[in-house]
Amino acid sequence: MIVKSIVQKLKNKFNISAAEIDCQDVHQTIVIGIAGICGSSAQMDSTEENIINFVDVNTDAEIIDIQREAL
């Protein structure tokens, strides 16, 4: 329930695609995949930073790892 709420808030606020993609059976670990389209790398960096800040402020979660792929 908590994960669904976070994912939906991210989708609504940042106009991105987001889903829990791994560790669904582990109660203390959440892996969320996020995909979006940006017009420039600067916009992508800014959006990524805003998403990280949003998760930090709105959850008790600790971000352990971020994997990024830009195409």
Side-chain angles (χ1 to χ4, degrees), residues 30-50:
I30 300 169
V31 179
I32 298 174
I34 297 171
I37 298 173
C38 295
S40 67
S41 62
Q43 184 183 15
M44 183 176 62
D45 292 339
S46 174
T47 301
E48 179 182 6
E49 188 64 34
N50 288 333

Side-chain angles (χ1 to χ4, degrees), residues 2-68:
I2 293 170
V3 177
K4 287 182 182 181
S5 175
I6 294 168
V7 168
Q8 193 60 47
K9 286 177 184 177
L10 288 170
K11 288 178 178 181
N12 292 340
K13 182 160 180 71
F14 297 102
N15 194 25
I16 56 168
S17 295
E20 184 177 14
I21 59 170
D22 199 5
C23 299
Q24 286 94 346
D25 296 330
V26 181
H27 294 286
Q28 295 182 351
T29 303
I30 300 169
V31 179
I32 298 174
I34 297 171
I37 298 173
C38 295
S40 67
S41 62
Q43 184 183 15
M44 183 176 62
D45 292 339
S46 174
T47 301
E48 179 182 6
E49 188 64 34
N50 288 333
I51 290 169
I52 292 167
N53 289 336
F54 181 83
V55 171
D56 280 341
V57 169
N58 292 292
T59 68
D60 292 332
E62 175 184 359
I63 298 174
I64 296 173
D65 185 29
I66 297 172
Q67 296 179 9
R68 179 179 181 192

